[in-house]
């Protein structure tokens, strides 16, 4: 009788542990098994969120798990083969230098990433001003840009192996140039 | 003691399953679930320690402020939850275990679980759907499951301590409180990180205000109290058919999920109507029904439990143990408080302490009476409890205030109603003012 009770208790405890393991390891494993990337329909402008839109580069797909549209802040990650092109929009009330400094800090926070060279002023086709620079990482190189408009900062990062990046960079540059806020095009 | 205390009331007879006399805390050590619980808690604490260590290294001032602020914030919640079950208090170690499960296990397990469900929604439906409905689907589904597992674990290691629906609500609320406090700390530090302005306390205070104050009354503490009620109902109501008990369990868990879903859902996220009043209305519309439902459930569960225990004292028919007036107020927290105030008014602090002492001794005797199947005149524990009541009675007699009752000049509208109404009005005004300030900023 006592042994039966202890067995039932063990079964109950094991069931709780199993449920925990399903949540902690099972669901993330299932998530990893489902492909991240989704194709984009046609070549329409993509609404990133928080009022920002962009023309995606040709043949880009999006990483659904890293894409977060939203009213106040938003993010999208475009995938072009192994090249990653991310746009992050967040509320920001500082100056362009502060925004660029914040992005540089984020980049350098990743082990092995280093910002290289000086920053240059850039302007999108819709007239949003910003700063752009470059960075390196082990086996990869990257570009970044930050724009300020309408109380939000638009952070752009592009990274990939040098050869692959060279193949798609013109399309990405055109895409960055197409970034618009509000109804702008 | 002159009569056998075997009554237990009428319809609430089955609402309470007293802890049997032979139940001892050390017996839990023999249970496999106890050791599993210990391992899971250690793993959860280690994971939580890792998260907080990283936060402390990055933002020492903000993280420390968040920990202190939310720890202080938890105190009144803890005291309220602990006081819900005045007559048959829960063991502090078990209460702390429930809190630790919510704070260390459920939170750390929810992080990868929530993320996975959110990502799956984004991949299988769309990122826009995940951004809009993800928190409403992932939050309740993963978090309510993990928190309910905490109550189940308490049942597995100390089944005899779940005597009534109220006990389930107490443990559920404590699991939820632990979750709420740790989640708020993590959110506060995230807010510091997102602000990108270094190690400041501004975002911590803003998070404390938003999550602790504006959303704190209808948050995890409340959701998991409902789940705990369902689990306890299933355990305690052995007089009902299994399908009926399972139905009660499903209703409890379902309500926990539903109230959490409604709160997290994007419906009325911008309020009902325009301006601060609209936001306030939206917030109250989403949170208030859940709060009222839980408070009503607590009220019913408390009174059923109180009637059960008071009936055991009443069966003694011994005014030295409890007078009819004392029996009448024993099941009502606000009346017991009124009796203490009356004792203080008549005999000062000593009178208040003596009334409190008598009430505590009466509660202990009532609980002990409920635990024996027949009254043994030589039962040492019962004799000790009875003597304690008589000693407290003597203290009152010596003070010239022999009966711990409420003042005959007590106002027609109970003090608790007035204070509750004033508190609610003040709270609504503060929330409204806060929302207006945020809109203006």
């Amino acid at each position: 009788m006592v042994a039966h009770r202890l067995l039932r208790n063990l079964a109950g405890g094991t069931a709780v542990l199993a449920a925990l393991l399903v949540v902690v390891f099972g669901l993330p494993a299932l998530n990893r098994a489902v492909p991240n990337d989704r194709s984009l329909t046609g070549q329409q402008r993509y609404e990133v969120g928080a009022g920002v839109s962009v023309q995606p580069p040709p043949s880009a797909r999006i990483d659904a798990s890293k894409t977060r549209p939203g009213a106040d802040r938003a993010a999208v990650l475009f995938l072009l083969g192994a090249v990653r092109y991310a746009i992050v929009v967040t509320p920001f009330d500082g100056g362009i230098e502060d925004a660029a400094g914040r992005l540089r800090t984020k980049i350098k926070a990743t082990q092995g990433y280093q910002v290289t060279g000086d920053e240059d002023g850039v302007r999108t086709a819709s007239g949003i001003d910003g700063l752009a620079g470059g960075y390196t990482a082990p086996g990869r190189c990257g570009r970044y840009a930050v724009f300020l408009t309408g109380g939000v900062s638009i952070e752009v990062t592009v990274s990939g192996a040098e050869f692959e990046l060279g193949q798609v960079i013109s399309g990405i540059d055109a895409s960055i140039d197409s970034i618009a806020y509000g109804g702008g095009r | 003691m002159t009569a056998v205390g075997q009554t237990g009331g009428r319809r609430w007879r089955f609402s309470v399953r007293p802890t049997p006399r032979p139940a001892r805390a050390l017996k839990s050590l023999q249970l496999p679930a106890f050791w599993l619980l210990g391992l899971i808690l250690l793993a959860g604490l280690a994971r939580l320690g890792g998260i907080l260590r990283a936060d402390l290294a990055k933002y020492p001032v903000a993280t420390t402020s968040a920990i202190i602020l939310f720890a202080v914030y938890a105190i009144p919640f803890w005291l309220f939850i602990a006081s819900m079950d005045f007559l048959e208090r829960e063991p502090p170690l078990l209460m702390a275990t429930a809190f630790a499960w919510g704070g260390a296990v459920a939170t750390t397990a929810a992080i990868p679980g929530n993320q996975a469900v959110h990502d799956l929604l984004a991949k299988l439906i769309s990122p826009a759907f995940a951004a809009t409905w993800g928190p409403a689907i992932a939050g309740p589904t993963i978090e309510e499951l993990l928190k309910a597992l905490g109550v189940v674990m308490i049942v597995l290691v100390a089944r005899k301590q779940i005597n009534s629906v109220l006990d389930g609500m107490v443990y559920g609320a404590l699991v939820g409180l632990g979750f709420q406090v740790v989640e708020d700390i993590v959110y506060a530090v995230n807010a510091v990180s997102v602000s990108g302005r270094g190690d400041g306390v501004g975002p911590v205070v803003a998070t404390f205000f938003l999550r602790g104050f504006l959303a704190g009354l209808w948050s995890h503490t409340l959701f998991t109290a409902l789940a705990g009620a369902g689990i306890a109902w299933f355990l305690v109501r052995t007089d009902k058919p299994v399908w009926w008990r399972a139905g009660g369990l499903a209703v409890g868990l379902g309500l926990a999920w539903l109230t959490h879903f409604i709160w997290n859902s994007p419906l009325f996220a911008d309020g009902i109507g325009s301006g601060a009043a609209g936001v306030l209305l939206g917030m109250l519309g989403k949170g208030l029904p859940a709060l009222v439902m839980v408070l009503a459930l607590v009220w019913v569960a408390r009174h059923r439990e109180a009637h059960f225990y008071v009936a055991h004292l009443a069966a003694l028919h011994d005014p030295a143990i409890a007078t009819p007036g004392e029996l009448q107020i024993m099941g009502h927290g606000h009346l017991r408080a009124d009796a203490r105030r009356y004792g203080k008014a008549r005999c000062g602090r000593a009178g208040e302490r003596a009334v409190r002492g008598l009430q505590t001794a009466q509660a202990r005797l009532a609980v002990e009476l409920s635990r024996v199947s027949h009254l043994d005149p030589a039962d040492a524990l019962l004799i000790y409890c009875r003597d304690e009541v008589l000693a407290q009675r003597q203290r009152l007699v010596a003070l010239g205030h022999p009966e711990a009752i409420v003042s005959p000049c007590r106002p027609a509208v109970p003090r608790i109603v007035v204070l509750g109404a004033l508190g609610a009005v003040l709270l609504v005004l503060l929330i409204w003012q806060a929302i207006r300030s945020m809109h203006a900023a």
Side-chain angles (χ1 to χ4, degrees), chain A residues 34-52:
Chain A
V34 177
N36 282 348
D37 56 331
R38 292 167 63 94
S39 57
L40 289 160
T41 48
Q43 278 301 300
Q44 296 167 351
R45 285 187 73 80
Y46 185 85
E47 294 293 335
V48 179
V52 174

Side-chain angles (χ1 to χ4, degrees), chain B residues 25-40:
Chain B
L26 285 177
K27 278 194 172 177
S28 294
L29 295 175
Q30 299 167 356
L31 299 172
F34 174 85
W35 299 102
L36 273 175
L37 171 63
L39 282 176
I40 295 169

